[in-house]
């Protein structure tokens, strides 16, 4: 399963013996550094480079090349190593490019020993940088992950090594580049460039010495030198007469099999037609997941480009107007007015051009969304998708789950599915407070709390629907019993582990049960015996819905809840909180880590999801059932029936 990373994104590594493949399209120097927990490289002996290509657990190429394969064995690196950084740099003094912005973006991929690609990253956004930290493999809680870095350095290899804490980085960089230069001097020169197909056809067409080819000036023709004879020691195949062209005359020779001639493809008019599943992946679900992620990135980038162009047009207009006003001569007569009109016309031209590009890209994304949305499986689909009418309980869990939709103000009707990977890495918090949302400000407090619990029930129902029977269990804490109406579909269908826990005693019992489960699973994993769990213990993923927090919680219960939020996801225990942060303000900063550990979602549209890479604030829209629809009851009924069949 391949994951295409973006800058800053990480992904777990399933193996410790890996290969890192680099494809740059032009010669680059590849190296690696080993760092401690803080990322500091303690000495030159922790650097693998062409002059010293081997370290415990990592081996790099011995010279600059367009393609590299770095061998990595994470079990063999020293115990003090917590970070392995993959470095790329342009060789100096060899007549090649001097900055990454002048060449194609480098591509790096982490693969298994069998060549199966685990994660890949295209290093975009580089300009004057001539060295870059491409990837970082880091150890977290005993497991290794890969993070896409893309951190470039205009100061080159010396600046990059100095940033990692090395002493005298300039001398070290000079020695590395000297080793690279020696390797290039020993290397075999590249073969001459291949003659383009059109040139080969032109030279193969017979022409008379006295009669030049049509359209070619004889004074500018280049004589073709015949190739040298083959070496005597090289066996040569017996020449075979080529097939003549279909016309039998003096046209170019066709080497195509006569029975496999295909008609020339029709030239495509307009933008490409979108196709569902048009992305990499082993299965259709994975291809759709990657395609949705690509749509999200495309929308983010084209909107960022549009906003940047508009900002540039505004700044240019301000600068030109300031220039006009700063010249006293332009304040009198028509020269100033003409200059101002010209500046505004240029501004309008720039913004119109940016709007035209944005409209084109948004139209293409909208066309792709119209094709992709109906093809999504149940785990990725909206509740109004017809796929739910043919729903059957799956036999395996999907790779991701839809939590709602995302959109930007440039086109609010273009909604991108918000997909999160399963199992959940963080708990969820449905915020029942007003916050800064305009939509929440139009509702009274009781209606907002009801919508928040309805949203939590929708998420719980989807989680129950996408897991196989017996692999997902839901618990509910409702201390005051105020959520009975919203929780009725779950209770009536019989898909809960038990009745919603009410009162302080119910809260204590459920939290104690789940806390004990986390402790037991953690001890089994630390002991290396994950199967050594007590008989009869429910090994399914656990979801705890907490309604109306902090009512019914004492200090001990709050501590247990924080423990579940921090330690639970790693062992299959997840939180789904329905709460208003203001209700828990009496606890002060004690609960700040709890709120930060949960993913905040809202029961009404709200633009609270920040995208730090492009600076967007995405508007989140919760999943809603169609008015009057019975899809929730039908899905839960099938889940309950599948569970009864499975437990027999």
């Amino acid at each position: 399963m391949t994951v295409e990373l973006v800058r800053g994104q990480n992904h777990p590594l399933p193996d410790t013996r890996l290969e890192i493949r680099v494809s740059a399209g032009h010669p680059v120097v590849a190296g690696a550094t080993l760092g401690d927990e803080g990322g500091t490289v303690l000495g030159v002996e922790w650097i693998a480079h062409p002059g010293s290509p081997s370290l415990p657990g990592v081996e790099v190429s011995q010279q600059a090349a367009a393609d590299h394969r770095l061998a990595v064995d994470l079990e063999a690196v020293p115990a003090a190593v917590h970070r392995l950084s993959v470095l790329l740099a342009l060789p100096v003094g060899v007549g090649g490019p001097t900055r990454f912005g002048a060449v194609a973006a480098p591509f790096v991929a982490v693969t298994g020993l069998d060549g199966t690609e685990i994660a890949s990253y295209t290093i975009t956004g580089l300009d004057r940088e001539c060295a870059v930290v491409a990837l970082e493999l880091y150890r977290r809680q005993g497991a290794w992950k890969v993070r896409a870095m893309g951190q470039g350095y205009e100061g080159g290899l010396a600046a990059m090594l100095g940033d990692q804490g090395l002493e005298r980085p300039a001398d070290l960089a000079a020695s590395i580049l000297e080793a690279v230069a020696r390797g290039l001097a020993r290397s075999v020169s590249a073969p001459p460039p291949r003659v383009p197909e059109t040139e080969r056809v032109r030279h193969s067409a017979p022409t008379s010495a006295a009669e030049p080819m049509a359209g070619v000036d004889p004074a500018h023709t280049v004589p073709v030198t015949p190739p040298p004879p083959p070496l005597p020691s090289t066996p040569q195949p017996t020449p075979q007469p080529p097939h003549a062209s279909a016309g039998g005359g003096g046209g170019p020779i066709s080497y195509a099999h006569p029975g496999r001639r295909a008609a020339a493809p029709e030239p495509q008019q307009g933008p490409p037609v979108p196709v569902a599943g048009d992305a990499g992946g082993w299965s259709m679900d994975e291809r759709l997941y990657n395609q949705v992620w690509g749509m999200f990135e495309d929308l983010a980038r084209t909107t960022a480009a549009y906003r940047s162009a508009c900002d540039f047009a505004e700044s240019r207009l301000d600068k030109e107007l300031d220039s006009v006003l700063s010249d006293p001569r332009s304040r009198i007569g028509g020269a100033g007015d003409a200059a101002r009109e010209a500046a505004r016309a240029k501004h309008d031209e720039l913004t119109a051009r940016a709007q035209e590009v944005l409209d084109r890209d948004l139209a293409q994304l909208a066309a792709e969304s119209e094709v992709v949305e109906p093809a999504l499986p149940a785990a990725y689909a909206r509740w109004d998708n017809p796929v739910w009418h043919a729903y059957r309980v799956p036999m395996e869990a999907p790779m991701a789950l839809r939590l709602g939709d995302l959109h930007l103000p440039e086109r609010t009707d273009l909604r991108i599915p918000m997909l999160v990977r399963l199992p959940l890495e963080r708990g969820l918090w449905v915020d029942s407070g007003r916050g800064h949302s305009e939509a929440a400000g139009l509702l009274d407090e009781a209606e907002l709390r009801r919508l928040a619990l309805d949203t939590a029930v929708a998420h719980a129902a989807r989680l129950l629907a996408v897991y196989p029977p017996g692999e997902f269990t839901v618990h509910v804490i409702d201390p005051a019993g105020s959520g009975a109406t919203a929780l009725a579909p779950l209770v009536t269908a019989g898909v809960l582990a038990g009745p919603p826990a009410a009162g302080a005693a119910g809260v204590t019992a459920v939290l104690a049960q789940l806390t004990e489960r986390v402790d037991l699973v953690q001890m089994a994993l630390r002991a290396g015996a994950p199967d050594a769990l007590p008989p009869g213990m429910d090994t399914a993923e656990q979801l705890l819905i907490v309604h109306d927090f902090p009512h019914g919680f004492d200090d001990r219960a709050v501590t247990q809840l924080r423990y579940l939020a921090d330690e639970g996801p790693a062992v299959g225990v997840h939180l789904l909180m329905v709460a208003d942060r203001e209700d828990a303000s009496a606890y002060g900063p004690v609960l700040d880590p709890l709120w930060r550990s949960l993913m905040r979602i809202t029961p009404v549209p709200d633009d609270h999801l920040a995208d730090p890479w492009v600076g967007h604030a995405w508007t989140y829209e919760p999943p809603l059932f169609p008015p009057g629809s019975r899809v929730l009851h039908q899905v839960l009924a099938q889940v309950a029936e599948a569970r009864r069949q499975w437990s027999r």
Side-chain angles (χ1 to χ4, degrees):
M1 183 174 62
T2 305
V3 175
E4 296 180 6
L5 302 176
V6 297
R7 183 175 297 174
Q9 185 182 3
N10 59 46
H11 184 70
L13 293 173
D15 302 311
T16 55
R17 300 185 65 188
L18 307 164
E19 192 173 70
I20 299 176
R21 301 183 179 183
V22 179
S23 178
H26 52 88
V28 296
V29 182
T33 59
L34 304 179
D36 57 15
E37 291 188 26
T40 302
V41 181
L42 300 182
V44 295
E45 66 276 6
W46 280 26
I47 306 175
H49 56 83
S52 177
S54 297
L55 289 180
V58 60
E59 184 173 353
V60 303
S61 306
Q62 298 188 40
Q63 65 180 24
D67 298 296
H68 293 270
R69 291 191 175 187
L70 285 64
V72 176
D73 185 356
L74 296 174
E75 291 184 350
V77 300
V81 172
H82 288 261
R83 298 175 187 268
L84 190 156
S85 301
V86 178
L87 317 178
L88 302 178
L90 293 171
V92 177
V94 296
T98 58
R99 60 187 185 92
F100 278 109
V103 294
F107 173 83
V108 289
V110 181
T111 71
L113 294 183
D114 59 352
T116 302
E117 194 170 291
I118 300 169
S120 63
Y121 173 42
T122 302
I123 310 173
T124 58
L126 299 178
D127 187 12
R128 293 180 293 180
E129 298 87 346
C130 55
V132 61
V133 180
L135 295 176
E136 180 183 72
L137 279 60
Y138 63 98
R139 196 198 312 253
R140 181 68 53 83
Q141 297 180 350
W144 286 89
K145 294 185 177 183
V146 58
R147 177 185 288 120
M149 298 294 290
Q151 176 63 55
Y153 293 86
E154 293 184 28
L157 193 57
M160 181 166 56
L161 295 175
D163 194 38
Q164 298 200 10
L166 286 161
E167 297 181 357
R168 302 176 64 184
D171 295 341
L172 178 58
S175 65
I176 294 174
L177 295 175
E178 182 181 355
V180 172
R182 289 197 302 267
L184 290 174
R186 294 192 302 267
S187 62
V188 179
S189 60
R194 295 178 59 189
V195 180
E197 185 68 26
T198 55
E199 296 295 325
R200 292 201 297 269
V201 170
R202 185 186 347 176
H203 295 319
S204 64
T207 55
S208 170
E211 182 180 338
M213 290 181 290
V216 179
D217 186 354
H220 292 83
T221 56
V222 180
V224 179
T225 304
L231 296 176
S233 59
T234 305
Q236 298 297 318
T238 304
Q240 299 292 332
H243 297 285
S245 61
I253 298 173
S254 171
Y255 292 94
H257 192 285
R260 296 182 181 176
R261 297 173 185 256
E266 293 290 335
Q268 184 173 338
Q269 301 294 331
V273 178
V275 178
D278 187 17
W282 292 101
S283 64
M284 188 61 175
D285 287 4
E286 184 179 353
R287 291 197 294 272
L288 287 169
Y289 172 84
N290 291 332
Q291 187 172 12
V292 168
W293 180 255
M295 292 166 59
F296 172 84
E297 286 187 328
D298 289 346
L299 180 56
R301 289 169 180 164
T302 190
T303 305
Y306 168 73
R307 294 180 182 179
S308 177
C310 291
D311 291 342
F312 171 76
E314 290 290 341
S315 63
R316 177 170 179 164
L317 176 62
D318 293 341
K319 183 177 180 180
E320 292 182 350
L321 291 179
D322 290 342
S323 176
V324 171
L325 294 176
S326 64
D327 187 358
R329 294 172 299 177
S330 63
R331 300 179 187 177
I332 304 174
D337 295 338
R340 282 190 289 270
E341 289 299 325
R344 291 193 177 93
K346 186 62 176 178
H347 168 270
D348 295 342
E349 179 187 355
L350 292 174
T351 54
R353 194 182 307 166
Q355 185 67 51
E356 180 182 356
V357 174
L358 176 68
D359 292 342
R360 180 200 63 199
D361 293 343
L362 292 182
Q364 179 65 18
L365 282 171
E368 186 174 9
S369 178
E370 291 177 359
V371 173
V372 170
E373 191 69 48
L376 295 178
Y380 305 171
R382 288 197 295 253
W383 286 113
D384 59 356
N385 193 309
V387 71
W388 287 107
H389 297 293
Y391 166 76
R392 294 294 181 270
V393 178
M395 290 297 102
E396 61 179 13
M399 65 180 298
L401 182 85
R402 186 172 190 157
L403 286 183
D405 293 333
L406 300 172
H407 68 78
L408 292 172
E410 278 72 13
R411 182 159 179 176
T412 57
D413 63 331
L414 178 55
R415 292 173 169 82
I416 306 297
M418 180 181 175
L419 303 181
V420 295
R421 296 295 295 266
L422 291 179
L424 296 173
E425 297 183 357
R426 301 171 61 188
L428 303 176
W429 165 32
V430 183
D431 190 356
S432 59
R434 295 187 182 279
H436 302 288
S437 171
E438 295 181 3
L442 301 176
L443 301 174
D444 58 39
E445 183 177 346
E447 178 67 11
L448 196 57
R449 291 179 182 272
R450 183 190 65 79
L451 288 175
L453 187 54
D454 287 343
T455 302
V457 169
H459 290 311
R462 186 182 289 265
L463 284 164
L464 285 166
V466 302
Y467 273 91
E471 294 191 13
F472 199 82
T473 303
V474 178
H475 308 263
V476 176
I477 289 179
D478 186 19
S482 57
T485 302
L487 296 169
L490 299 175
V491 176
T492 305
V495 294
L496 299 179
V507 172
T508 301
V510 173
L511 291 178
Q513 175 188 350
L514 293 178
T515 302
E516 181 183 14
R517 184 188 186 281
V518 172
D519 291 338
L520 291 174
V521 175
Q522 283 185 338
M523 287 190 293
L525 292 176
R526 292 193 189 104
D531 297 331
L533 295 171
M537 180 177 175
D538 185 5
T539 58
E541 297 279 319
Q542 309 286 313
L543 177 70
L544 173 60
I545 302 176
V546 179
H547 179 233
D548 224 8
F549 177 81
H551 301 296
F553 282 75
D554 55 18
D555 291 344
R556 176 179 174 81
V558 170
T559 302
Q560 289 177 317
L561 195 66
R562 288 184 53 187
Y563 176 73
L564 293 178
D566 294 337
E567 305 294 335
V571 292
V573 177
H574 313 281
L575 287 184
L576 178 51
M577 298 273 293
V578 183
D580 180 0
R581 189 168 182 172
E582 292 298 322
D583 292 343
S585 58
Y587 287 93
V590 174
L591 288 181
D592 286 349
L594 173 65
W595 305 121
R596 287 196 298 266
S597 67
L598 303 174
M599 179 188 296
R600 176 177 176 257
I601 54 181
T602 54
V604 293
D606 188 20
D607 59 349
H608 67 281
L609 293 177
D611 187 343
W613 298 112
V614 290
H616 297 334
W618 291 83
T619 297
Y620 167 81
E621 292 196 8
L624 300 176
F625 295 103
S629 173
R630 298 282 301 171
V631 63
L632 173 62
H633 302 276
Q634 294 169 0
V635 168
L636 292 179
Q638 291 203 36
V639 171
E641 178 60 26
R643 290 190 169 200
R644 284 190 290 268
Q645 297 291 338
W646 174 79
S647 60
R648 287 181 180 176

Tab-separated table of all heavy atoms in Angstrom, residues 305-314 343-361:
chain	number	residue	atom	x	y	z
A	305	ALA	N	-2.511	29.496	-5.026
A	305	ALA	CA	-1.938	30.240	-6.151
A	305	ALA	C	-2.800	31.447	-6.503
A	305	ALA	O	-2.281	32.539	-6.793
A	305	ALA	CB	-1.795	29.314	-7.353
A	306	TYR	N	-4.111	31.269	-6.466
A	306	TYR	CA	-5.021	32.381	-6.775
A	306	TYR	C	-4.886	33.493	-5.735
A	306	TYR	O	-4.773	34.679	-6.083
A	306	TYR	CB	-6.454	31.864	-6.821
A	306	TYR	CG	-7.496	32.950	-6.846
A	306	TYR	CD1	-7.720	33.710	-7.982
A	306	TYR	CD2	-8.268	33.228	-5.708
A	306	TYR	CE1	-8.665	34.717	-8.000
A	306	TYR	CE2	-9.217	34.225	-5.715
A	306	TYR	CZ	-9.416	34.968	-6.864
A	306	TYR	OH	-10.358	35.961	-6.865
A	307	ARG	N	-4.877	33.138	-4.476
A	307	ARG	CA	-4.771	34.159	-3.440
A	307	ARG	C	-3.416	34.871	-3.507
A	307	ARG	O	-3.326	36.094	-3.289
A	307	ARG	CB	-4.969	33.519	-2.063
A	307	ARG	CG	-6.373	32.965	-1.852
A	307	ARG	CD	-6.522	32.342	-0.481
A	307	ARG	NE	-7.860	31.775	-0.285
A	307	ARG	CZ	-8.251	31.144	0.822
A	307	ARG	NH1	-7.402	31.012	1.827
A	307	ARG	NH2	-9.476	30.652	0.922
A	308	SER	N	-2.367	34.101	-3.802
A	308	SER	CA	-1.051	34.718	-3.925
A	308	SER	C	-1.014	35.698	-5.095
A	308	SER	O	-0.433	36.788	-4.987
A	308	SER	CB	0.008	33.628	-4.106
A	308	SER	OG	1.285	34.187	-4.291
A	309	ALA	N	-1.641	35.315	-6.211
A	309	ALA	CA	-1.671	36.212	-7.371
A	309	ALA	C	-2.449	37.488	-7.061
A	309	ALA	O	-2.047	38.589	-7.454
A	309	ALA	CB	-2.276	35.493	-8.566
A	310	CYS	N	-3.558	37.350	-6.349
A	310	CYS	CA	-4.342	38.537	-5.979
A	310	CYS	C	-3.564	39.437	-5.019
A	310	CYS	O	-3.593	40.670	-5.140
A	310	CYS	CB	-5.667	38.115	-5.360
A	310	CYS	SG	-6.813	37.348	-6.534
A	311	ASP	N	-2.850	38.816	-4.065
A	311	ASP	CA	-2.042	39.620	-3.146
A	311	ASP	C	-0.935	40.360	-3.888
A	311	ASP	O	-0.639	41.534	-3.591
A	311	ASP	CB	-1.433	38.717	-2.067
A	311	ASP	CG	-2.482	38.178	-1.118
A	311	ASP	OD1	-3.587	38.748	-1.071
A	311	ASP	OD2	-2.201	37.172	-0.430
A	312	PHE	N	-0.330	39.672	-4.870
A	312	PHE	CA	0.711	40.329	-5.660
A	312	PHE	C	0.138	41.503	-6.450
A	312	PHE	O	0.753	42.575	-6.531
A	312	PHE	CB	1.349	39.317	-6.614
A	312	PHE	CG	2.274	39.945	-7.623
A	312	PHE	CD1	3.536	40.367	-7.265
A	312	PHE	CD2	1.864	40.115	-8.942
A	312	PHE	CE1	4.381	40.949	-8.193
A	312	PHE	CE2	2.702	40.696	-9.867
A	312	PHE	CZ	3.969	41.118	-9.498
A	313	ALA	N	-1.044	41.304	-7.035
A	313	ALA	CA	-1.669	42.390	-7.796
A	313	ALA	C	-1.981	43.578	-6.887
A	313	ALA	O	-1.781	44.742	-7.277
A	313	ALA	CB	-2.937	41.882	-8.482
A	314	GLU	N	-2.469	43.307	-5.670
A	314	GLU	CA	-2.765	44.393	-4.734
A	314	GLU	C	-1.493	45.133	-4.322
A	314	GLU	O	-1.469	46.372	-4.278
A	314	GLU	CB	-3.470	43.828	-3.498
A	314	GLU	CG	-4.885	43.331	-3.753
A	314	GLU	CD	-5.859	44.474	-4.021
A	314	GLU	OE1	-5.534	45.622	-3.663
A	314	GLU	OE2	-6.927	44.212	-4.597
A	343	ALA	N	-2.231	51.732	-13.723
A	343	ALA	CA	-1.950	50.818	-12.611
A	343	ALA	C	-3.168	49.966	-12.281
A	343	ALA	O	-3.055	48.752	-12.048
A	343	ALA	CB	-1.503	51.618	-11.386
A	344	ARG	N	-4.355	50.611	-12.265
A	344	ARG	CA	-5.567	49.844	-11.972
A	344	ARG	C	-5.881	48.858	-13.096
A	344	ARG	O	-6.379	47.747	-12.849
A	344	ARG	CB	-6.731	50.799	-11.744
A	344	ARG	CG	-6.614	51.620	-10.467
A	344	ARG	CD	-7.922	52.324	-10.124
A	344	ARG	NE	-7.813	53.049	-8.874
A	344	ARG	CZ	-7.476	54.336	-8.772
A	344	ARG	NH1	-7.210	55.034	-9.874
A	344	ARG	NH2	-7.396	54.913	-7.591
A	345	ALA	N	-5.606	49.259	-14.339
A	345	ALA	CA	-5.846	48.338	-15.454
A	345	ALA	C	-4.936	47.119	-15.352
A	345	ALA	O	-5.370	45.982	-15.609
A	345	ALA	CB	-5.626	49.063	-16.780
A	346	LYS	N	-3.681	47.342	-14.971
A	346	LYS	CA	-2.765	46.216	-14.800
A	346	LYS	C	-3.225	45.325	-13.660
A	346	LYS	O	-3.162	44.084	-13.747
A	346	LYS	CB	-1.352	46.741	-14.533
A	346	LYS	CG	-0.288	45.656	-14.493
A	346	LYS	CD	-0.177	44.932	-15.824
A	346	LYS	CE	0.949	43.911	-15.801
A	346	LYS	NZ	1.043	43.166	-17.077
A	347	HIS	N	-3.687	45.942	-12.581
A	347	HIS	CA	-4.213	45.166	-11.449
A	347	HIS	C	-5.400	44.325	-11.880
A	347	HIS	O	-5.496	43.125	-11.561
A	347	HIS	CB	-4.604	46.122	-10.325
A	347	HIS	CG	-5.399	45.480	-9.236
A	347	HIS	ND1	-6.784	45.425	-9.262
A	347	HIS	CD2	-5.021	44.842	-8.098
A	347	HIS	CE1	-7.213	44.794	-8.196
A	347	HIS	NE2	-6.164	44.435	-7.466
A	348	ASP	N	-6.326	44.932	-12.616
A	348	ASP	CA	-7.502	44.185	-13.069
A	348	ASP	C	-7.115	43.057	-14.015
A	348	ASP	O	-7.708	41.976	-13.989
A	348	ASP	CB	-8.491	45.134	-13.758
A	348	ASP	CG	-9.067	46.164	-12.801
A	348	ASP	OD1	-8.973	45.936	-11.575
A	348	ASP	OD2	-9.597	47.196	-13.266
A	349	GLU	N	-6.105	43.300	-14.842
A	349	GLU	CA	-5.660	42.258	-15.771
A	349	GLU	C	-5.068	41.068	-15.013
A	349	GLU	O	-5.346	39.904	-15.326
A	349	GLU	CB	-4.625	42.835	-16.733
A	349	GLU	CG	-4.086	41.810	-17.726
A	349	GLU	CD	-2.947	42.362	-18.555
A	349	GLU	OE1	-2.647	43.573	-18.423
A	349	GLU	OE2	-2.348	41.591	-19.328
A	350	LEU	N	-4.246	41.346	-13.991
A	350	LEU	CA	-3.630	40.276	-13.222
A	350	LEU	C	-4.672	39.459	-12.462
A	350	LEU	O	-4.627	38.231	-12.442
A	350	LEU	CB	-2.594	40.852	-12.256
A	350	LEU	CG	-1.334	41.452	-12.896
A	350	LEU	CD1	-0.475	42.115	-11.834
A	350	LEU	CD2	-0.546	40.375	-13.627
A	351	THR	N	-5.618	40.156	-11.826
A	351	THR	CA	-6.636	39.426	-11.070
A	351	THR	C	-7.567	38.657	-11.997
A	351	THR	O	-8.003	37.544	-11.670
A	351	THR	CB	-7.442	40.404	-10.202
A	351	THR	OG1	-7.971	41.455	-11.027
A	351	THR	CG2	-6.581	41.002	-9.111
A	352	ALA	N	-7.872	39.218	-13.169
A	352	ALA	CA	-8.731	38.497	-14.117
A	352	ALA	C	-8.031	37.246	-14.636
A	352	ALA	O	-8.664	36.187	-14.793
A	352	ALA	CB	-9.110	39.415	-15.283
A	353	ARG	N	-6.730	37.367	-14.876
A	353	ARG	CA	-5.987	36.197	-15.335
A	353	ARG	C	-5.944	35.122	-14.247
A	353	ARG	O	-6.109	33.932	-14.519
A	353	ARG	CB	-4.570	36.615	-15.718
A	353	ARG	CG	-3.801	35.575	-16.526
A	353	ARG	CD	-2.401	36.074	-16.815
A	353	ARG	NE	-2.426	37.397	-17.428
A	353	ARG	CZ	-1.348	38.169	-17.533
A	353	ARG	NH1	-0.192	37.761	-17.057
A	353	ARG	NH2	-1.437	39.350	-18.123
A	354	ALA	N	-5.733	35.537	-12.993
A	354	ALA	CA	-5.730	34.575	-11.892
A	354	ALA	C	-7.101	33.940	-11.711
A	354	ALA	O	-7.215	32.736	-11.440
A	354	ALA	CB	-5.289	35.267	-10.601
A	355	GLN	N	-8.167	34.737	-11.857
A	355	GLN	CA	-9.517	34.201	-11.730
A	355	GLN	C	-9.813	33.198	-12.839
A	355	GLN	O	-10.478	32.173	-12.608
A	355	GLN	CB	-10.527	35.345	-11.774
A	355	GLN	CG	-11.971	34.927	-11.543
A	355	GLN	CD	-12.199	34.433	-10.135
A	355	GLN	OE1	-11.839	35.105	-9.171
A	355	GLN	NE2	-12.809	33.265	-9.994
A	356	GLU	N	-9.312	33.475	-14.034
A	356	GLU	CA	-9.538	32.559	-15.161
A	356	GLU	C	-8.881	31.204	-14.894
A	356	GLU	O	-9.482	30.146	-15.126
A	356	GLU	CB	-8.977	33.179	-16.431
A	356	GLU	CG	-9.155	32.310	-17.673
A	356	GLU	CD	-8.536	32.938	-18.909
A	356	GLU	OE1	-8.036	34.080	-18.808
A	356	GLU	OE2	-8.552	32.292	-19.964
A	357	VAL	N	-7.650	31.221	-14.377
A	357	VAL	CA	-6.961	29.962	-14.059
A	357	VAL	C	-7.678	29.238	-12.933
A	357	VAL	O	-7.857	28.004	-12.966
A	357	VAL	CB	-5.495	30.250	-13.696
A	357	VAL	CG1	-4.803	28.977	-13.218
A	357	VAL	CG2	-4.759	30.836	-14.889
A	358	LEU	N	-8.110	29.991	-11.915
A	358	LEU	CA	-8.831	29.367	-10.805
A	358	LEU	C	-10.127	28.728	-11.286
A	358	LEU	O	-10.440	27.585	-10.914
A	358	LEU	CB	-9.124	30.414	-9.733
A	358	LEU	CG	-9.956	29.919	-8.542
A	358	LEU	CD1	-9.176	28.926	-7.714
A	358	LEU	CD2	-10.423	31.092	-7.686
A	359	ASP	N	-10.897	29.444	-12.106
A	359	ASP	CA	-12.158	28.895	-12.605
A	359	ASP	C	-11.925	27.627	-13.413
A	359	ASP	O	-12.697	26.660	-13.316
A	359	ASP	CB	-12.881	29.936	-13.461
A	359	ASP	CG	-13.374	31.118	-12.640
A	359	ASP	OD1	-13.470	30.974	-11.411
A	359	ASP	OD2	-13.651	32.182	-13.231
A	360	ARG	N	-10.853	27.620	-14.206
A	360	ARG	CA	-10.553	26.427	-14.998
A	360	ARG	C	-10.237	25.234	-14.097
A	360	ARG	O	-10.762	24.136	-14.286
A	360	ARG	CB	-9.359	26.711	-15.911
A	360	ARG	CG	-8.931	25.547	-16.793
A	360	ARG	CD	-7.509	25.741	-17.256
A	360	ARG	NE	-6.584	25.738	-16.124
A	360	ARG	CZ	-5.339	26.236	-16.166
A	360	ARG	NH1	-4.902	26.811	-17.281
A	360	ARG	NH2	-4.560	26.176	-15.104
A	361	ASP	N	-9.387	25.460	-13.083
A	361	ASP	CA	-9.023	24.366	-12.189
A	361	ASP	C	-10.204	23.899	-11.355
A	361	ASP	O	-10.390	22.690	-11.128
A	361	ASP	CB	-7.882	24.803	-11.275
A	361	ASP	CG	-6.588	25.045	-12.041
A	361	ASP	OD1	-6.492	24.570	-13.191
A	361	ASP	OD2	-5.679	25.706	-11.497
